[in-house]
Amino acid sequence: MTRDRSLESTVLFQDILIVVLAMLLSRVAHAGLVGAIPSLKPPVAAGEYAHLLLVFLPTWIFAADRLGIHRIETLSGEKLEIVRRVILTQAWGVAAIGLILTFAQVSLNRSLIIVFLILSTTMLLLAKAAQAPWLARRRGQSRVLLIGDAGAEVAREFERLRGRHVEHWKGSDPAALEARFRAGAVDEVVMVGRLPPDQMLAYVGACAEAGLPVFLPVPLAPQSLPLPPPDVETVGNNDYVVYQPRKLAAGTVVAKAAVDRVLATLLIVALAPVMLLVALAVRIAIGRPILYVQRRGGLYGHPFPMLKFRTMRNGADKERDTLSGLNEMDGPVFKMRNDPRVTPLGRILRRTSLDELPQLFNVLAGQMSIVGPRPLPVEETRALAGRHRRRLSIRPGLTCLWQVSGRSDLTFAEWMALDLEYVDRWTLWLDLAILLRTIPAIVSRRGAR
């Protein structure tokens, strides 16, 4: 375990002790509060709270670890970020207590819970204020060994960003490196410059035997190309450096998929009468087929059949080429404000977005999400170039930032910028915010064509 990991484990252990101490102190404080305010419910026997530790404490520890309230990068960062993470961790604890109250049907004092939450949150925030300078002092004792032709800039980065004492090692063989390890404490080894592969491998082996982490330089593309931080994955007997714009947590992705299917099911049931009426209107006013099935680019560009209520006259696809000169949208997409192929009923369906309702079945099938970049026809998807293709790295959806920000009133560049902003910033909370803005956008019909 490196010194950083050891220090973080110590901080987490301190946090756990603080929470347990807050439990004990809150009982004493609550007893005094009951004496001052007789209307409060008196506390029950201490043994009644054993289940609280069995449910609350593991949940709290899990949340603290996931939110990283003990991480060095958190404690050395912005103070508001520390406060935010502590409060979120406490919120997970509140959820655990809520489960106890709901399912266990136990006689917990709500006033005692409030006292505990106020006291534990205050104690944790005070502890964080003390832990930050303590970590800074302890990390200053850590030593990094630079091997190779390291410049002063590299040394400064490890001193400034990782709080290390830097030592330049000038040895030339693994045996000498092992002797250096025995001579004094080393926490990390960094290899820089151009070392022969055999020599580098021998050094890595010596570090592995000593249980030390090794930093190896990754050959990058030209500096003008912004690359995301790399990961390393092993496939068979080979290691690969992986550049991935954003690595989403598996649990969050699963949660989004589950929410998509639950919402799609509920909306299909709730809107079934509306869809039946729209289908009947399309059958009478436009004729068969009622549904328009078009192949569109899905996740990573894989095509899928997207469903819509038909809004155009028969043979509309064959007329597309003759109207290409009237395209009002720049870029590789086709948009017209007054497309002559759209029927009167079709215009109503488009302006109210009722033609999109069958795509709920695409969501149910896992081909789309409720929220995500709008899928383009396969031909337009193939024409996307450069960074615009990054919008394909997330599953397409029924609504997105483009839908709630003006739709067809925006230029192609603005549309793509909004999609990329969604891809880069995506969270479940952003999805919720977009959903809350979707209904007003539909009612106002802004940008609908």
Side-chain angles (χ1 to χ4, degrees):
M1 179 183 293
T2 65
R3 182 180 294 272
D4 279 1
R5 299 288 84 81
S6 177
L7 290 174
E8 289 177 348
S9 298
T10 301
V11 171
L12 182 58
F13 183 69
Q14 292 171 355
D15 292 342
I16 295 170
L17 290 180
I18 289 169
V19 171
V20 174
L21 179 61
M23 289 180 180
L24 300 176
L25 293 178
S26 61
R27 182 171 175 81
V28 176
H30 182 259
L33 194 62
V34 169
I37 308 176
S39 60
L40 292 178
K41 181 180 177 181
V44 298
E48 295 290 329
Y49 293 91
H51 50 270
L52 184 64
L53 288 174
L54 294 176
V55 177
F56 171 82
L57 204 53
T59 304
W60 189 93
I61 294 172
F62 171 79
D65 183 61
R66 290 300 301 270
L67 290 167
I69 66 171
H70 62 301
R71 303 290 183 198
I72 287 174
E73 56 265 27
T74 301
L75 292 170
S76 60
E78 294 290 336
K79 304 304 179 185
L80 286 178
E81 180 63 15
I82 298 175
V83 173
R84 187 185 74 85
R85 296 196 185 202
V86 169
I87 291 175
L88 285 176
T89 302
Q90 293 290 84
W92 275 86
V94 172
I97 296 174
L99 288 175
I100 296 173
L101 293 173
T102 302
F103 297 107
Q105 296 297 312
V106 294
S107 55
L108 291 178
N109 298 90
R110 287 176 174 79
S111 55
L112 174 60
I113 294 172
I114 293 173
V115 170
F116 163 70
L117 290 174
I118 293 174
L119 187 59
S120 60
T121 302
T122 302
M123 291 174 64
L124 283 169
L125 291 175
L126 290 174
K128 295 301 160 192
Q131 286 167 348
W134 175 79
L135 279 174
R137 290 193 302 271
R138 293 298 301 272
R139 289 181 75 215
Q141 302 171 12
S142 299
R143 183 173 299 275
V144 62
L145 209 63
L146 289 182
I147 300 177
D149 186 15
E153 183 180 352
V154 174
R156 283 195 300 270
E157 287 175 345
F158 275 87
E159 290 172 345
R160 179 172 54 87
L161 300 178
R162 296 185 66 85
R164 300 296 195 238
H165 288 310
V166 175
E167 175 185 338
H168 292 265
W169 187 72
K170 301 298 185 181
S172 58
D173 63 86
L177 183 59
E178 292 174 7
R180 170 60 190 86
F181 294 156
R182 291 192 297 270
V186 174
D187 294 273
E188 295 171 346
V189 175
V190 178
M191 298 188 190
V192 294
R194 295 184 178 274
L195 295 174
D198 292 343
Q199 188 179 27
M200 184 177 290
L201 186 60
Y203 286 157
V204 171
C207 295
E209 287 184 356
L212 292 175
V214 185
F215 289 67
L216 297 178
V218 176
L220 298 177
Q223 295 299 313
S224 59
L225 178 62
L227 293 174
D231 292 325
V232 176
E233 291 190 13
T234 301
V235 180
N237 295 321
N238 298 305
D239 294 328
Y240 298 89
V241 176
V242 181
Y243 292 98
Q244 187 167 316
R246 189 178 178 195
K247 192 172 184 179
L248 301 175
T252 309
V253 175
V254 170
K256 180 177 174 65
V259 170
D260 281 338
R261 285 163 173 78
V262 170
L263 276 179
T265 301
L266 294 176
L267 289 172
I268 287 172
V269 173
L271 297 175
V274 176
M275 287 193 279
L276 287 174
L277 288 175
V278 172
L280 181 61
V282 171
R283 175 68 179 85
I284 295 173
I286 304 178
R288 293 181 177 176
I290 295 173
L291 291 178
Y292 174 63
V293 182
Q294 185 182 42
R295 289 177 65 78
R296 298 223 174 180
L299 184 64
Y300 298 121
H302 294 289
F304 72 97
M306 193 189 79
L307 306 177
K308 295 181 68 172
F309 282 120
R310 193 155 70 91
T311 58
M312 293 185 175
R313 62 196 179 204
N314 283 324
D317 286 342
K318 297 178 181 178
E319 302 177 44
R320 161 73 182 273
D321 292 340
T322 62
L323 298 172
S324 58
L326 301 176
N327 184 17
E328 299 173 5
M329 176 71 76
D330 54 345
V333 296
F334 181 85
K335 295 286 182 184
M336 282 186 64
R337 187 177 302 275
N338 295 306
D339 194 323
R341 300 172 298 169
V342 181
T343 66
L345 174 63
R347 297 189 190 282
I348 296 174
L349 296 180
R350 288 188 171 202
R351 288 172 182 168
T352 56
S353 296
L354 291 174
D355 62 320
E356 312 284 359
L357 290 181
Q359 289 159 41
L360 289 170
F361 292 98
N362 289 118
V363 176
L364 201 59
Q367 298 160 334
M368 293 178 64
S369 290
I370 296 293
V371 181
R374 288 295 297 161
L376 297 175
V378 171
E379 296 78 10
E380 296 177 3
T381 300
R382 290 171 180 164
L384 292 175
R387 63 190 181 93
H388 292 161
R389 296 197 65 82
R390 195 162 81 247
R391 73 190 298 276
L392 303 175
S393 63
I394 199 165
R395 205 175 301 277
L398 294 174
T399 184
C400 198
L401 286 173
W402 175 69
Q403 297 287 105
V404 300
S405 302
R407 298 168 73 175
S408 298
D409 287 342
L410 303 176
T411 65
F412 176 76
E414 292 170 333
W415 175 7
M416 292 297 106
L418 288 171
D419 281 350
L420 295 182
E421 179 183 354
Y422 173 80
V423 170
D424 294 337
R425 289 179 48 210
W426 176 79
T427 63
L428 291 174
W429 295 111
L430 179 58
D431 278 2
L432 178 60
I434 291 173
L435 284 175
L436 293 177
R437 291 175 57 189
T438 295
I439 295 177
I442 293 175
V443 172
S444 67
R445 302 179 185 180
R446 182 187 173 195
R449 295 185 185 179

